[in-house]
Amino acid sequence: MDMEKIITLCKSRGFVFPGSDIYDGLANTWDFGPLGVELKNNIKAAWWREFVTTNDNSVGLDGGILMNRNVWVASGHVAGFADPLMDCKACQTRTRADKLIEAHDANVNADGWTNEALEKYINDHHLTCPNCGKFAWTPIRQFNLMFATNRGVTTDTANQIFLRPETAQSEYINFANVQRSLRLKVPFGIGQIGKAFRNEITPGNFIFRTIEFEQMEHQLFCPADAAMGFYEQYKQKIWHFCTDVLGLNPEHLRFHDHEKLVFYAKAACDMEYLYPFGWGELNGTHHRGVHDLTNHQNLSKKNLMYQDPVTNAKYLPTVIESSQGVERLFLAIICDAYTEEKIADDDTRVVLKLNPNLAPYKVCVLPLQKKGLTATATKLYRDLQQHFATAYDDAGSIGKRYRRQDEIGTPFCVTVDYDTLNDQTVTIRDRDTMTQERVKIADLPAKVINILTAYNTKKNIL
Ligand code: ATP
């Protein structure tokens, strides 16, 4: 897997463009193009189905990006949501100490280490500057990652608000609203998909680390004694989602337990994907104890206690969190799907072997010639659009058009030719096998839907 080829394909085929491109960009920002937005929507729909709609006792939420400043005081983000940074005195390059250590040893997870522990490891292992190779670090300083802005016209602290750095706090502060309005019984979960913002300074590795991104987070509220069981269940759930539902190769995935837990956590692990630049975090599954609800109850002075309807016991439920970034999943899916196939000595085809349910377009309609076929092909295109995302391409040779669809992962091409005018049949070509079959136009929507559904059913999505 070559990262440069992936980036080139994403840019040239309309998946991902550099942010603010015509103004020379803005570091670590990207815009999702016409195909990118379709793929992203399909990923989010698959997650929503897996973690909300078909997940027992789970409901959705769409919280605001802007929240009362106290949300971030209670959550600990104002005081402590910081990255450990140090500068190289020789070349002035700024580096994240924990990531330097993890790049040195992929089996170490330095997330949450103290400055002292980080500095000791860096000194003991003589980790030098990745830019100039010198060993001349400044002491580590903590740099808060939240973007701050002001509500209203004055700029004092009372008016300071933040762009949320994670979506999860909405689920915590709405725990009682959701539970009481829907009369839900613990255990139940709240899922949410939304934008988050972090003032990241380290290089992004394309869309892996950006300053604006989307998270898909699910918080399960459960009794303390059931929490470890749910923690294991949610680890299995994210594994099932990535492999069976999305189709990622299990050999490119691994779990990585946190060696040092934050004081309130009982267990935490990352699920990592083997990107072209190495293993990187895709998902976090966390046993957060009663930390979040306790802090919000204390600072807001509102009663967030749950009363068990059978025993009448009142308690704050324990939280099991499953959190993933949409863009990191997007990148993993493209990397896994990218395939180069040698067709002949001087002919290699590039195919995105996407799960058909994730593909931006399910079908592309291609008239063999424009002359005499456009009306029939356009009608077919409009009919198929009623059933699923459909593309239309009448520019260039049929071979080149097939290749263009292969590169963007379209599972089926449907070719309209002169026989179509007489017998109402078309040729359907399979992206992966390149085999072609003659089918009746009237049977086409059902045939494609059957294939998509069969894929879904096999993978246990629907
Ligand atoms: P990292 O160690 O890579 O900075 P993190 O541990 O800070 O990640 P979490 O706070 O657990 O990440 O966020 C949950 C998920 O959100 C991550 O697993 C990742 O998929 C996604 N995510 C976090 N930060 C970013 C970012 N800057 N850009 C894109 N996705 C992100």
Side-chain angles (χ1 to χ4, degrees):
M1 240 188 301
D2 179 335
M3 196 62 187
E4 280 315 308
K5 285 184 180 170
I6 302 268
I7 295 174
T8 305
L9 181 123
C10 282
K11 286 184 192 169
S12 64
R13 293 290 175 237
F15 282 94
V16 183
F17 304 126
S20 314
D21 202 11
I22 63 166
Y23 290 102
D24 299 331
L26 174 67
N28 292 351
T29 65
W30 301 89
D31 292 333
F32 286 79
L35 299 194
V37 66
E38 297 291 344
L39 175 55
K40 237 180 159 195
N41 284 342
N42 294 340
I43 294 170
K44 289 189 277 187
W47 183 87
W48 193 261
R49 193 202 311 268
E50 183 69 25
F51 281 82
V52 180
T53 344
T54 64
N55 194 8
D56 283 351
N57 305 326
S58 280
V59 293
L61 183 75
D62 185 13
I65 287 173
L66 303 176
M67 287 181 250
N68 188 302
R69 186 175 192 279
N70 279 337
V71 171
W72 306 109
V73 174
S75 70
H77 284 78
V78 170
F81 187 55
D83 273 349
L85 300 182
M86 52 192 191
D87 293 329
C88 171
K89 289 187 229 164
C91 73
Q92 274 71 50
T93 301
R94 189 158 281 180
T95 298
R96 239 177 96 171
D98 54 341
K99 294 295 161 206
L100 185 71
I101 292 171
E102 289 167 8
H104 167 72
D105 183 347
N107 291 315
V108 174
N109 185 338
D111 199 14
W113 288 16
T114 61
N115 286 0
E116 292 69 37
L118 293 165
E119 274 168 2
K120 182 168 183 327
Y121 189 101
I122 288 165
N123 289 335
D124 289 354
H125 294 81
H126 198 75
L127 302 188
T128 55
C129 172
N131 187 44
C132 72
K134 301 260 168 48
F135 185 82
W137 297 115
T138 60
I140 294 173
R141 283 173 302 123
Q142 296 290 332
F143 174 81
N144 197 301
L145 289 173
M146 284 198 294
F147 283 104
T149 185
N150 291 288
R151 169 82 177 97
V153 288
T154 55
T155 56
D156 54 19
T157 309
N159 283 329
Q160 188 185 46
I161 55 174
F162 302 99
L163 299 185
R164 66 178 176 195
E166 62 175 33
T167 56
Q169 297 304 322
S170 295
E171 281 116 293
Y172 303 142
I173 63 171
N174 280 295
F175 162 73
N177 281 339
V178 171
Q179 190 272 318
R180 289 167 197 167
S181 60
L182 274 77
R183 303 166 65 88
L184 295 174
K185 291 196 185 68
V186 165
F188 71 89
I190 307 180
Q192 185 176 201
I193 301 177
K195 290 267 187 182
F197 304 83
R198 296 184 188 180
N199 200 357
E200 307 264 12
I201 59 99
T202 34
N205 279 325
F206 190 35
I207 55 170
F208 178 80
R209 187 180 301 287
T210 52
I211 59 176
E212 173 182 348
F213 55 99
E214 276 187 282
Q215 287 186 316
M216 306 187 285
E217 297 201 294
H218 183 273
Q219 315 292 323
L220 182 86
F221 300 91
C222 65
D225 58 1
M228 272 322 276
F230 280 118
Y231 172 75
E232 291 302 331
Q233 201 174 309
Y234 272 82
K235 275 177 73 175
Q236 284 168 21
K237 194 169 187 60
I238 190 65
W239 187 270
H240 162 74
F241 177 65
C242 288
T243 56
D244 300 331
V245 177
L246 300 181
L248 291 181
N249 181 348
E251 285 171 18
H252 297 158
L253 293 167
R254 70 175 186 191
F255 281 120
H256 194 157
D257 288 329
H258 288 205
E259 286 113 52
K260 301 194 181 177
L261 295 173
V262 284
F263 70 93
Y264 54 82
K266 298 280 185 300
C269 77
D270 296 340
M271 193 171 82
E272 298 179 335
Y273 177 80
L274 187 55
Y275 292 98
F277 48 82
W279 290 99
E281 176 182 333
L282 196 58
N283 155 276
T285 305
H286 308 127
H287 178 321
R288 301 182 57 88
V290 291
H291 175 74
D292 308 282
L293 292 183
T294 306
N295 286 354
H296 286 303
Q297 178 166 266
N298 288 346
L299 191 64
S300 68
K301 304 207 170 25
K302 299 289 178 335
N303 177 13
L304 302 182
M305 291 282 190
Y306 169 74
Q307 181 163 19
D308 187 292
V310 178
T311 64
N312 283 334
K314 286 187 183 166
Y315 65 95
L316 288 179
T318 293
V319 168
I320 303 298
E321 171 181 70
S322 177
S323 170
Q324 38 279 310
V326 179
E327 291 79 0
R328 288 188 185 183
L329 211 41
F330 182 112
L331 183 56
I333 287 166
I334 298 254
C335 289
D336 245 47
Y338 184 90
T339 316
E340 287 180 4
E341 274 179 9
K342 214 165 175 51
I343 307 274
D345 280 350
D346 57 350
D347 188 11
T348 302
R349 94 174 168 132
V350 172
V351 199
L352 266 196
K353 293 197 171 175
L354 292 172
N355 165 344
N357 290 294
L358 295 179
Y361 299 119
K362 311 305 175 208
V363 171
C364 181
V365 175
L366 317 165
L368 193 60
Q369 305 281 338
K370 284 185 197 166
K371 200 164 161 244
L373 298 176
T374 301
T376 307
T378 310
K379 179 172 181 319
L380 177 60
Y381 166 61
R382 292 198 179 127
D383 287 349
L384 293 180
Q385 271 184 328
Q386 302 301 317
H387 301 279
F388 30 71
T390 307
Y392 185 89
D393 189 1
D394 61 5
S397 76
I398 196 80
K400 285 208 177 103
R401 283 185 268 164
Y402 283 152
R403 292 295 174 87
R404 276 204 291 269
Q405 294 304 319
D406 290 344
E407 277 191 37
I408 62 171
T410 308
F412 306 107
C413 283
V414 167
T415 305
V416 173
D417 55 28
Y418 293 104
D419 288 341
T420 309
L421 304 180
N422 301 323
D423 62 8
Q424 298 296 302
T425 64
V426 285
T427 302
I428 180 164
R429 170 190 179 268
D430 183 281
R431 175 195 69 195
D432 297 343
T433 61
M434 293 192 283
T435 50
Q436 303 193 7
E437 197 190 329
R438 202 77 193 168
V439 295
K440 286 204 174 89
I441 285 182
D443 297 340
L444 205 49
K447 187 173 175 69
V448 174
I449 287 169
N450 281 346
I451 293 169
L452 295 173
T453 313
Y455 198 92
N456 263 338
T457 315
K458 191 176 72 193
K459 300 295 183 181
N460 197 18
I461 312 181
L462 284 176

